[in-house]
Amino acid sequence: MLSAMQHPLLFSRFPRHISSSFAKSRPLHILSSAQPTAGLSVADQSPPSNSQILSIRHSLLSGHFTATQLAESYLNRLKLTEPQLNSFLHISNNVLKEAQEIDDKIKKKEEVGPLAGVLVGVKDNICTADMPSTGGSRILEGYRPPFDATAVKRVKELGGIVVGKTNLDEFGMGSTTEASAFKVTANPWDLSRVAGGSSGGSAAAVSARQCVVSLGSDTGGSVRQPASFCDVVGLKPTYGRVSRFGLMAYASSLDASGCFGSSVTDAGILLHAISGHDRFDATSSKQEVPDYASQFISATFLKSRPLEGLRVGLIRETIDEGVDSGVKSVIHGAASHLEQLGCMVTEVSLPSFSLGLPAYYILASSESSSNLSRYDGVRYGNQVSADELNSLYEDSRAKGFGPEVKMRILMGTYALSAGYYDAYYKRAQQVRTLIWESFKAALDENDILISPAAPSAAYKIGMMLTSSVIFFFFLLSLSFL
Amino acid sequence: MASRTSLMLRGLSPYYCCCCFFNLSSRSSSSSSKLFFLGKNSNPTIRYCSTKATGGASSLPPPDVTHLAKTARISLAPNEVEEFAPKIQQVIDWFGQLQVVDLDSVEPAIRAESLHENAREDIPETFENREAIRTSVPSYDDPYIKVPKVLNKE
């Protein structure tokens, strides 16, 4: 099967750990030359032709292989790698059926969408009508939403096939997927390490080529950090760019749906597919959606210094002490590369940087304590039997939520208590204004700002569970931006 | 609501020691649920007198996990209270660093970006897949969602 579809671009760049076991059982000739070094996605240097989405489209329309063959090959790899990785909480039963429908359309020369045949992983806090959506929480175990999230609906309308629901920290609260109620996702490049989080399943699934692209969500780094850990492209769009209808709310003033791909082009194509105003989400922006991917030019057509004059600010606080030397050297390497391409790189300082994390944490836990009050065991989700209504709420929530979620709800309840609002929530919002102002000042001086996505490469599974709370904050501290 | 009131009283009396706290409580002793709350909370006085908030957060009393759990409608086992309390305290202390920042003339930012008026017209619409909503309800007796009795005190 696979020999019929060995497009040179399609199955390259497997993480070594997976590819070695995979290669034994499959006639794969094209394997990675990519080095799984620090697991950091710095600047993707791939030309647009590295897009899997574009090459799949080309191959399907030229008859090089069928959507069914493609889907079978992905499903086979998924089956083979999933026991080690645990990227998925649920795998769709309809993948081959949907692939067949696309093949039928192509056969009849009907128009197919730009994502036709593209297998998409969907983070499990994003609702899908035909599959369970648990948010990684026991309280929603087995829950089937009555609708598709708008992002999922748009992916499907464009021909994308949802391959399954990916693992996450419960309701997005965590940065390793170890806070999932169901399983821990391993990093495809080193199975003893975490995939990051909270969108760890979505990042690992793309990294191990269990799917082509995936959807995630980012409240405080939940797309960017796992993308960095798993060496894929992660894109956290501007707040409001993508509809959040059907995304289980965590912190409404920060939540954003995001994309994972193995190339910048793929992430751009997926973002284009899911962006735009949605009447079901009043916070979704009405600004025009540009075709991001069509603006990319193949590297072969570029002059030697294509970024001549672009002002790049490297955020000093994100390469300060405490950041791994490996991370620093990769970032400095990326900065010199940008200079070679014509950029002017200077360090910029964001004076309010250190206040950002406590402010973020106050906002996120406060809003989560309010948002998660919907999980009361009455309208959906798991209910315990009780002889009194308050006990039903309290026991259903006690049994349904994991410790991390409980603690964040309690902290948020504290911060929002009558009389405390000004001291915590309002102050955090004021700090957000300071941060916004310092970013704006930095962006007046620069065209873009760069920073590492995390202060270290992926850590060992179990390390965070035994670390102190403050250490945890430190590791998180870069991802909230 | 009663427990919320109690909390507010504490919020207004940040520097009061245990005696003051009880004075305030006894003044409002007409509400049985307030007394119930205090009774459930085995030794609030010890917590108040012995726990020192650090940094700039010192103007606010420390979190009482049992009470927070009651407010958030999550029943906690005693070992969970024991496990969570120091962790939550640590985080709240860490929040304290924001108390010392001068924010007097700074407007709060409601979200990452200010958005234009996007709300759709407030016109009811029928959701087509009502059956799926109904099947999600754990305890349903057509046409009602069943819950245990709501009032058991009065």
Side-chain angles (χ1 to χ4, degrees):
Chain A
M1 178 62 61
L2 208 67
S3 58
M5 38 181 292
Q6 274 167 5
H7 191 285
L9 300 168
L10 201 54
F11 295 117
S12 59
R13 300 186 74 228
F14 283 120
R16 180 176 283 166
H17 212 109
I18 295 301
S19 62
S20 57
S21 60
F22 185 59
K24 284 177 202 153
S25 59
R26 305 204 55 86
L28 250 192
H29 304 309
I30 302 135
L31 280 177
S32 172
S33 59
Q35 293 303 306
T37 46
L40 293 159
S41 62
V42 194
D44 194 299
Q45 297 156 27
S46 318
S49 57
N50 212 19
S51 160
Q52 293 197 40
I53 293 178
L54 294 178
S55 65
I56 285 170
R57 182 164 186 82
H58 175 77
S59 299
L60 290 181
L61 296 181
S62 65
H64 191 52
F65 54 72
T66 66
T68 308
Q69 286 173 322
L70 179 76
E72 278 172 345
S73 122
Y74 269 93
L75 287 177
N76 284 339
R77 183 165 40 244
L78 203 158
K79 214 165 129 190
L80 206 68
T81 52
E82 187 55 14
Q84 296 164 286
L85 288 182
N86 291 316
S87 318
F88 284 87
L89 292 176
H90 186 84
I91 294 161
S92 169
N93 298 320
N94 297 327
V95 173
L96 291 178
K97 191 176 135 256
E98 288 169 34
Q100 186 60 53
E101 286 167 12
I102 287 163
D103 285 335
D104 292 346
K105 277 190 178 173
I106 292 172
K107 212 184 255 173
K108 288 188 230 154
K109 306 249 185 278
E110 285 175 27
E111 189 97 344
V112 290
L115 295 180
V118 172
L119 283 99
V120 184
V122 175
K123 189 177 180 181
D124 203 38
N125 62 350
I126 301 174
C127 289
T128 46
D130 53 355
M131 270 183 270
S133 304
T134 68
S137 181
R138 292 258 174 235
I139 207 160
L140 288 182
E141 197 169 5
Y143 171 62
R144 280 171 187 266
F147 57 87
D148 277 332
T150 299
V152 171
K153 193 166 152 255
R154 289 184 177 168
V155 162
K156 286 181 174 174
E157 282 167 358
L158 297 178
I161 299 172
V162 176
V163 68
K165 303 302 292 293
T166 58
N167 194 27
L168 70 161
D169 292 292
E170 187 173 0
F171 292 121
M173 298 181 191
S175 51
T176 63
T177 77
E178 290 168 293
S180 164
F182 304 106
K183 48 175 74 165
V184 177
T185 300
N187 192 307
W189 297 80
D190 178 349
L191 297 174
S192 72
R193 291 177 187 273
V194 298
S198 67
S199 310
S202 287
V206 170
S207 182
R209 306 298 188 264
Q210 294 177 312
C211 55
V212 181
V213 288
S214 62
L215 297 178
S217 67
D218 192 315
T219 304
S222 282
V223 163
R224 292 158 286 172
Q225 183 254 31
S228 166
F229 282 9
C230 293
D231 194 22
V232 293
V233 177
L235 180 55
K236 184 248 168 200
T238 303
Y239 183 85
R241 179 72 295 181
V242 178
S243 165
R244 300 178 298 175
F245 180 70
L247 170 68
M248 294 173 192
Y250 161 19
S252 306
S253 75
L254 297 158
D255 290 342
S257 301
C259 314
F260 292 95
S262 56
S263 66
V264 171
T265 310
D266 282 354
I269 293 172
L270 184 60
L271 179 64
H272 182 251
I274 61 175
S275 289
H277 180 66
D278 173 18
R279 58 190 291 267
F280 294 126
D281 177 2
T283 62
S284 63
S285 167
K286 284 182 172 161
Q287 274 186 32
E288 191 193 339
V289 182
D291 186 350
Y292 309 106
S294 70
Q295 296 172 15
F296 299 140
I297 305 162
S298 179
T300 48
F301 296 112
L302 293 174
K303 52 182 182 176
S304 64
R305 287 167 67 85
L307 301 179
E308 193 71 62
L310 191 77
R311 297 166 305 166
V312 177
L314 173 54
I315 302 171
R316 185 178 303 141
E317 287 78 4
T318 65
I319 47 167
D320 253 348
E321 54 190 280
V323 178
D324 275 10
S325 56
V327 173
K328 284 187 204 171
S329 69
V330 169
I331 289 297
H332 285 304
S336 344
H337 188 216
L338 287 171
E339 279 174 339
Q340 282 165 25
L341 296 173
C343 296
M344 294 180 302
V345 182
T346 49
E347 279 193 16
V348 292
S349 176
L350 300 177
S352 56
F353 182 84
S354 66
L355 299 175
L357 191 64
Y360 156 74
Y361 212 82
I362 290 170
L363 296 172
S365 55
S366 300
E367 292 174 22
S368 74
S369 78
S370 169
N371 273 325
L372 271 64
S373 66
R374 74 193 61 191
Y375 304 112
D376 55 9
V378 173
R379 291 157 298 163
Y380 39 69
N382 282 331
Q383 183 183 89
V384 301
S385 66
D387 54 9
E388 190 259 328
L389 187 62
N390 276 337
S391 313
L392 183 140
Y393 294 148
E394 289 167 357
D395 295 347
S396 297
R397 287 161 67 78
K399 211 168 156 228
F401 293 144
E404 183 63 38
V405 169
K406 284 178 188 169
M407 276 198 288
R408 292 207 197 189
I409 291 175
L410 296 176
M411 284 178 228
T413 306
Y414 176 80
L416 291 179
S417 300
Y420 296 17
Y421 176 84
D422 282 2
Y424 292 114
Y425 194 78
K426 190 179 167 200
R427 285 192 88 80
Q429 286 187 316
Q430 288 170 309
V431 167
R432 174 148 67 186
T433 302
L434 293 184
I435 290 166
W436 184 84
E437 283 168 355
S438 66
F439 264 91
K440 195 170 175 304
L443 284 167
D444 285 341
E445 305 287 311
N446 294 281
D447 297 302
I448 59 167
L449 300 177
I450 60 170
S451 80
S456 74
Y459 11 86
K460 292 275 183 188
I461 289 171
M463 192 187 89
M464 292 300 259
L465 301 174
T466 55
S467 306
S468 77
V469 178
I470 296 306
F471 179 63
F472 166 78
F473 286 135
F474 177 72
L475 288 181
L476 241 180
S477 63
L478 296 185
S479 313
F480 76 92
L481 287 173
Chain B
M1 207 58 224
S3 52
R4 178 60 64 98
T5 313
S6 301
L7 191 76
M8 207 157 70
L9 289 171
R10 289 176 182 197
L12 292 170
S13 57
Y15 290 109
Y16 290 179
C17 69
C18 41
C19 341
C20 306
F21 178 68
F22 270 105
N23 282 344
L24 282 169
S25 314
S26 57
R27 255 190 275 153
S28 51
S29 61
S30 58
S31 161
S32 60
S33 55
K34 264 173 210 158
L35 290 174
F36 171 74
F37 156 65
L38 288 168
K40 284 278 275 190
N41 191 3
S42 56
N43 54 358
T45 57
I46 291 170
R47 292 185 61 83
Y48 272 73
C49 293
S50 65
T51 313
K52 244 190 196 164
T54 58
S58 58
S59 58
L60 293 167
D64 174 341
V65 172
T66 310
H67 174 68
L68 290 176
K70 200 84 195 158
T71 312
R73 299 274 188 268
I74 301 173
S75 56
L76 291 186
N79 66 318
E80 284 179 305
V81 176
E82 215 167 283
E83 187 199 331
F84 294 167
K87 289 183 181 172
I88 290 174
Q89 182 63 58
Q90 210 179 345
V91 177
I92 304 276
D93 287 349
W94 175 75
F95 286 171
Q97 61 186 287
L98 296 193
Q99 309 302 324
V100 295
V101 186
D102 178 17
L103 295 167
D104 274 355
S105 55
V106 182
E107 283 294 310
I110 292 167
R111 54 172 83 91
E113 189 195 356
S114 55
L115 295 156
H116 304 293
E117 188 52 56
N118 261 346
R120 66 177 191 267
E121 279 190 66
D122 189 13
I123 300 167
E125 292 173 45
T126 305
F127 182 74
E128 294 304 327
N129 198 2
R130 288 164 73 94
E131 182 57 21
I133 296 178
R134 199 199 58 73
T135 53
S136 298
V137 179
S139 181
Y140 187 77
D141 189 355
D142 195 31
Y144 301 106
I145 293 176
K146 258 172 76 174
V147 291
K149 63 184 172 191
V150 177
L151 299 170
N152 65 346
K153 285 184 186 128
E154 275 107 349

